[in-house]
Structures are given as C-alpha cells and as structure tokens.
Amino acid sequence: MLRPWQRRALDALADHPHPDFLAVATPGAGKTTFALVAMIRELSRQPGPAVVVAPTAHLKIQWADAAARLGLHLDPSWSAGQPFSPDMHGIVTTYQQVASAAVDLAQRVAHGVVVLDEVHHAGDDRAWGDSVATAFQFTRRRIALSGTPFRSDTQAIPFVRYDFDEAQPDVEYGYGDALADGVVRPVYFPRIDGEMEWVSADGSHHSASFGDALDRTLTAQRLRTALSLHGEWLPSVLVRANSALMKVRRTHPDAGGLVIAIDTEHASGIVRLLRERCGVRAVVATSDDPDASDRIASFARSADPWIVAVRMVSEGVDIPRLRVGVWATTTATELFFRQAVGRLVRVTPDTRGARSMMFLPDDPRLRAHSMGISEARRHLLKRKEEQEEDLLADPLEAMVVEEGEQISLFQAVAATASDNGSSEEPEWFTADPFPAADQEGVPLTLFPPPTPGGKVPQVGQDGLPIQAMHVTKATLRKRNADLVRLLVRRANMDHKAVNLELNRLSGIKRISDATADQLEQRLEAGEKWLTRL
C-alpha cells in the first residue's frame, strides 16, 4: 500500500520526459519507499544496475534493509575498485565514496538507475558535485530526493533544474500537506528564555537574554553560553524535557528523547547531566565513533529513554519512537533545523495522532525556523488549540545571523533559564491525541525486480525475502573468517596462505567479491580441509 502522495509522485515520474526527477518531501513522509518503488518499476521495465547514494555510512545500511523488504537487494559494503556482486541488484554508497570512484562508476552504472538521497549534499564540496556529474552522466534515470527545498548559494547541484537560485522540484510534498494527511505528527516548540553572561574573545563582558537585540557575533556567543555545561540553563531545560518525556511514556511506554549536542565533549557532559539531574541513562552517538550506527540501530529497537547525538540523527535516520527533543547545538541553519525536527514527526500505527515537542533556546534564528513549521500546523488546529498556541508565538523577528567567534578566547560565565510564557509545558501535550486525517493507502502491485545472479534469496509466504541478501552474505563472511582462524591453528599456516587456498578451492579471487553461493562453497571446502587435519 502506498500513500496517495507517493502514488501521485510515481505517476508524475512515469510521465516525466527527462531522465532527471527531483522529489522534495518533508522528513517522515516516506521518500525512501517512493524512491525504492520507483527504482523497482524502472528495473522491471529494463534491467540494469541500481545505485543509491546516501549522505552517511549509517544510512547505507538503512537503505539496504528498506530495499530488501521490497525484494530489492543492494550491497552497502561495496567500496571503490570492487566489482558489483552478481547476486545483488546493485549497491548503496555515499557521496564521499562516489568522489573516489566516479570514472569507474560511470562505466558500471551506464543505463542503470540511481537515487540521490538528500541531493543537496552534492553541493557540500565542489569535488562531490563534479564526481556525481561524472559518475552518473550515462545513467538512464536519476531520481533526486530532498527533505526540504534548497538553494544553490555557491555551486549548482548536478541533475537539478534551477529557476534563478531555487531548485525546482518535479514533486513537492510539504509538512502542511503531510500533517493534513495524517502522515506525520504535529511538533510543538517550547522556547526557553534565560539570562546569559559571558566574556567575549576581546575580553569585553556581556549580559543578555534571548529577547535582547545583538549583532551576529554576540548572538552566536549568547547561544553558546546558554548551552554551556557549566551554567544552569541547559540542566534546567534537560529536567523539563525529561519530565515531559516521562509523562509521554505513561501512554507510549517506549517513547524516546533526542538531545542534539555541539561536539563529543558536550555530548558526554549532557549524558552526565541527565544521569545526575534526572536519574536516567542516555545513549551517545557521535559522528567520529565507528560504532555510532550500531548504537543508533540498537536504540531504535530498545525502550531506552534518551539518545544524545552529534551530527548523527539529523537526516534520514528512522527512529519512529522519538517524541521529545532538546536543541543543544550551536548549528542554526534552517536546513539542519528542519532535518533534525524531522526525526520527531514519524508516525507509527499505535501512536497515530500523537504530538511531539522540541525544546528550543529562544534564539531568534531558531525562533524563525520553528515559526515556519508552526504556521503549517496552526492552520489545522481547532480553535482552542490555536489560542493555546498563541502563547508560544512571539512576534517573528526578521533576523538571520551566522556564528563566527574565536572559541579559544570565549568564556561563558553564567546562564539561567527563565519562564517567559513559552517555557511552561502546555496542557495540550498530554491531552487527547491530535485528530489525524484518515489515511487510506493506495494499493500498488510491484513488478518483481530482475532476479539477481547467484543464490536466490529465500522468501516467505508474502513473497518477500526472509532476510536481506547483504545480511546473509555478512553472516557467511563472518563464518568464513572464523573458519580461517581455526585452520590457521590446525594447519600451522598463516592467514594469507589459508585464504589463498580456500579461494582457489572455491574459485573466487577475493572474499569481498564473492556471491552467497561462492561463500557457502568456500565454507564447505574449508570444513572438508579441516576434517583431514
């Protein structure tokens, strides 16, 4: 079953005369499902290699798992220089990997289908944009996705049509549309004021609340002061957010909370504050931690109350049980804000109509970003809820500032949170659920994708794979590695010699290139060898 907007997007894609198609849909609306179904349709009509380009390594696994649920097998472990495995339909890679293998990919994916997830990342680095243009220049269909409309302030992104500096989507499905359809949750933004005191890099002393007008540099310094681990603003807000989460968990027992931190040290301090001030433990996921993806996946499956993240849970990551957020980062761009808030909007069948909330510093930049989302929601609320929301809606200040400061000389002195009308926990948060519109999916019969070469995945009664092929192969590779270690001890040979012999016996060059059938043959050869020792 597809959502109506997804079916409309598929129809628009089918009628689209050009190879390039841009779909802009609010986080949580189901861009992944739309893109995968579109890819399956394309491959059913004309077989070819399938490629998904994701922003981060963590999202590669998420894409591969989502594709496997639809019978499409994508390899998230592919790396530059490797051939595509013949028992997979294609690969999931990252923009960074594409930059190191653009020419090679151009030959491999000619006449194939590519999905460019969060395509604005192709403009993060000139080399990334150039490599995307090179790698997919011959691809017959290029489907670009984004969670928010975007501009090209520096370099135009390949395969995207522009009107002046604005990207022009071929399909657009905004937050207001998704909210009206009951596809996403409404998000509320309690904004917390306070009194901050700090010493600037030049030695000057400052004191201000979020209501005071400041220049760009001082505005950024004020926010950093509020988020300092040594003041009282941040601990106070964490206590309020945890109280809200505990109330939600009375009716949604596994509801989770997200704190977005500045850096690894800041995240560790927030974990400590949650333990000391709230008596709860938190999971940490930071971009420099190689185990971050596993931590996020484990948290998504658990009932743990809090996860503290540094640039790891901002876009694409799917943790539907998140209900409460705390904005504790100095990053204040609108794109990052909307992607982060998107982590709180995902709907599950048992919590349809429930609300979410993101606690914010009452910084003018964040206030402006939240007002855009609140305005879409406000049009759909009942009269009583509109009046309650008015308490949260200070007049919009037309002020856009950027952070720029000498951190090494900056010193936060004190920060305290204050009640200013937007800091009180609203009654609506634990009131009756927000009435969601009826959402009737549109049935769609998926054409089976081309059967991959080699081992055919086992399927269940629904005709879909019991296990993703990439998971099956990862398990087989681990079993092979365990067998090699045992043979090294028994045969008194080194690892290289044992691996070369097993590869010879099973007819493969490298284990990373092997199909599932070849991996099983390698195991059989190793077990026979072992019995002879």
Side-chain angles (χ1 to χ4, degrees):
M1 301 288 281
L2 289 178
R3 292 167 176 166
W5 86 263
Q6 293 168 328
R7 183 56 183 267
R8 292 193 298 270
L10 285 170
D11 291 343
L13 177 62
D15 296 335
H16 197 62
H18 304 293
D20 302 315
F21 188 89
L22 172 61
V24 173
T26 189
K31 294 188 297 297
T32 299
T33 299
F34 156 71
L36 290 172
V37 172
M39 181 173 275
I40 289 172
R41 276 189 159 187
E42 292 285 342
L43 295 177
S44 299
R45 292 165 181 161
Q46 181 182 341
V51 178
V52 173
V53 185
T56 66
H58 170 75
L59 294 180
K60 291 199 298 182
I61 302 296
Q62 191 166 295
W63 269 98
D65 289 341
R69 288 193 288 270
L70 294 176
L72 186 68
H73 293 279
L74 303 177
D75 184 3
S77 64
W78 178 87
S79 60
Q82 287 185 357
F84 289 3
S85 180
D87 60 353
M88 307 288 278
H89 295 96
I91 65 168
V92 189
T93 186
T94 64
Y95 289 100
Q96 185 173 13
Q97 287 180 299
V98 171
S100 64
V103 175
D104 180 45
L105 280 172
Q107 298 174 347
R108 295 184 187 278
V109 303
H111 312 299
V113 181
V114 62
V115 169
L116 302 168
D117 185 25
E118 303 298 350
V119 69
H120 52 267
H121 283 283
D124 289 350
D125 184 297
R126 184 178 183 87
W128 285 16
D130 292 344
S131 63
V132 165
T134 298
F136 307 114
Q137 59 185 312
F138 305 120
T139 306
R140 75 169 188 270
R141 177 66 83 179
R142 296 177 286 261
I143 303 169
L145 307 176
S146 181
T148 56
F150 56 89
R151 294 176 58 83
S152 177
D153 295 320
T154 53
Q155 181 185 2
I157 295 169
F159 313 127
V160 172
R161 179 169 49 89
Y162 286 90
D163 184 1
F164 294 100
D165 284 338
E166 290 286 343
Q168 298 300 302
D170 298 292
V171 166
E172 188 166 5
Y173 187 67
Y175 176 72
D177 299 323
L179 193 59
D181 290 343
V183 169
V184 298
R185 294 177 185 143
V187 181
Y188 292 79
F189 300 98
R191 300 195 308 272
I192 314 300
D193 200 353
E195 292 294 331
M196 277 64 70
E197 184 179 352
W198 70 96
V199 176
S200 290
D202 61 2
S204 58
H205 187 277
H206 303 274
S207 178
S209 71
F210 282 118
D212 295 323
L214 301 176
D215 64 24
R216 293 182 178 185
T217 299
L218 293 179
T219 295
Q221 291 176 354
R222 175 179 57 192
L223 178 58
R224 182 172 288 275
T225 301
L227 301 178
S228 170
L229 297 170
H230 306 294
E232 281 300 315
W233 188 94
L234 183 56
S236 174
V237 173
L238 290 173
V239 168
R240 298 182 196 193
N242 185 68
S243 176
L245 180 60
M246 293 304 110
K247 289 183 180 179
V248 172
R249 285 167 71 98
R250 294 174 188 170
T251 54
H252 182 183
D254 67 342
L258 164 68
V259 185
I260 304 174
I262 299 172
D263 53 31
T264 301
E265 182 180 358
H266 193 237
S268 298
I270 289 172
V271 170
R272 175 178 53 79
L273 289 173
L274 284 169
R275 184 178 64 249
E276 295 176 352
R277 299 294 185 99
C278 305
V280 295
R281 294 187 177 275
V283 175
V284 179
T286 63
S287 56
D288 58 355
D289 180 1
D291 297 325
S293 294
D294 292 338
R295 293 176 187 271
I296 293 172
S298 177
F299 177 82
R301 296 189 299 266
S302 75
D304 294 340
W306 286 98
I307 184 169
V308 182
V310 179
R311 293 192 176 276
M312 283 299 296
V313 193
S314 59
E315 64 185 7
V317 175
D318 189 11
I319 310 177
R321 67 187 188 89
L322 288 177
R323 294 284 303 279
V324 176
V326 177
W327 191 273
T329 177
T330 52
T331 303
T333 64
E334 183 176 10
L335 182 61
F336 185 83
F337 182 86
R338 286 182 173 268
Q339 292 287 0
V341 172
R343 301 317 102 210
L344 304 178
V345 305
R346 296 178 185 264
V347 171
T348 56
D350 56 338
T351 61
R352 185 173 295 281
R355 303 170 170 87
S356 294
M357 64 196 307
M358 175 73 84
F359 285 82
L360 300 176
D362 199 16
D363 180 275
R365 297 167 292 182
L366 302 177
R367 187 186 311 152
H369 302 336
S370 67
M371 290 299 294
I373 298 175
S374 297
E375 188 63 29
R377 185 198 69 236
R378 193 173 296 116
H379 286 303
L380 301 170
L381 297 178
K382 296 178 180 178
R383 179 66 179 173
K384 178 175 181 293
E385 290 171 319
E386 288 179 338
Q387 293 171 349
E388 290 172 341
E389 172 58 21
D390 284 342
L391 295 175
L392 302 180
D394 293 342
L396 175 63
E397 293 185 21
M399 178 180 181
V400 179
V401 294
E402 299 174 353
E403 181 174 359
E405 56 179 316
Q406 293 174 268
I407 300 301
S408 60
L409 301 179
F410 168 84
Q411 180 181 358
V413 176
T416 58
S418 63
D419 294 332
N420 65 347
S422 66
S423 60
E424 292 290 338
E425 182 183 317
E427 294 179 0
W428 42 254
F429 190 61
T430 52
D432 293 335
F434 183 82
D438 290 337
Q439 173 67 20
E440 295 183 1
V442 177
L444 176 70
T445 301
L446 298 182
F447 295 98
T451 302
K455 187 178 181 64
V456 177
Q458 289 185 313
V459 298
Q461 294 181 350
D462 56 2
L464 296 180
I466 295 174
Q467 187 178 60
M469 179 63 83
H470 77 89
V471 175
T472 298
K473 293 176 70 172
T475 302
L476 289 171
R477 282 192 288 266
K478 183 179 184 305
R479 288 176 57 193
N480 268 274
D482 293 339
L483 182 59
V484 166
R485 284 192 289 270
L486 185 57
L487 284 168
V488 165
R489 292 196 299 269
R490 295 279 186 88
N492 196 26
M493 299 168 62
D494 61 28
H495 282 77
K496 182 178 180 180
V498 170
N499 276 309
L500 286 174
E501 178 62 13
L502 287 177
N503 288 352
R504 185 188 68 80
L505 292 172
S506 54
I508 65 175
K509 294 182 178 180
R510 293 187 304 182
I511 193 169
S512 58
D513 300 341
T515 65
D517 271 346
Q518 290 172 327
L519 290 171
E520 288 188 344
Q521 292 168 11
R522 195 175 190 269
L523 279 173
E524 292 174 4
E527 288 166 355
K528 289 180 181 178
W529 184 5
L530 194 61
T531 59
R532 298 194 298 268
L533 297 176

